[in-house]
Amino acid sequence: MKKTNALYEGKAKILWETDEPGRMVQEFKDDATAFNGVKHEVISGKGVLNNQISSHFFALLEEAGVRTHFVEKISDSEMVVERLSMLALEVVVRNIAAGSLVKRLGVEQGTTFDPPIVEFYLKDDDLNDPILSEEHVRALGLATDEQVAYLKQAALTVNRVLTEFLSERNTRLVDFKLEFGTTADGEMVLGDEISPDTCRFHDAASGKIMDKDRFRQDLGGFIDAYKEVLERVSS
Ligand code: TMP
Ligand code: ASP
């Protein structure tokens, strides 16, 4: 397989077209951004770690029967993925109160949500990815009722699989963000990445932060935390 041209470059990844129809190469970059790109640094080694961690999670989810775009990891920083037409939505699942939810609603950090909360956000940097109700999703034509129902159910399945897997590895899944797209024949598939850039992971015993919050909050020890996540995920 040969990469041809870069179809899309985001803050943390590049999506390459290839000479194989329906197949893309997703390359993970070392760039770390937060607060909609306001804070930006290049952190050597991040791309390689996120590619490995994401590959593990996608393989785990496929085994559990979740359709994902993941085909195979082909190099340190690249994976082959199915070509999808992405929904302009971010689907966030929250098990424990953190981040923007704490700021927006004044809920005490660390509050447990059982059942977990599923939220939708508009993927639009110019608007700062605003939160959406299901009615907004429908009214803006971002997804049909049937797709909304699928997204919620798929997000909760992902949550169940990852929460169980991580808890066996002394890691708490606080919250995470997913992105979905459709194949040429209209099937809804999980895309993007699943990594410490897009999830919050806390050590179950100490509560130690092991994700991009180390960068957002200038806590230091960023790469070591990502390495620790990879070790746990591959054990
Ligand atoms: P939030 O608390 O900032 O809304 O984030 C919720 C989860 O979504 C958290 O695990 C980080 C992830 N996330 C992304 O992957 N990309 C984003 O742009 C944002 C804002 C959050
Ligand atoms: N990914 C977003 C950014 O690049 C926000 C975040 O993850 O905190 O700014």
Side-chain angles (χ1 to χ4, degrees), residues 92 94 98-100 121 129 175-177 197-200 216:
V92 169
R94 299 182 186 272
S100 70
Y121 291 83
D129 295 351
D175 57 30
F176 59 94
K177 183 261 305 180
D197 273 16
T198 61
C199 305
R200 286 193 171 94
R216 294 189 188 99

Side-chain angles (χ1 to χ4, degrees), residues 158-172:
V158 170
N159 187 45
R160 189 170 38 74
V161 173
L162 296 188
T163 297
E164 207 173 289
F165 177 82
L166 288 163
S167 79
E168 287 162 5
R169 287 158 183 79
N170 303 315
T171 309
R172 210 174 284 139

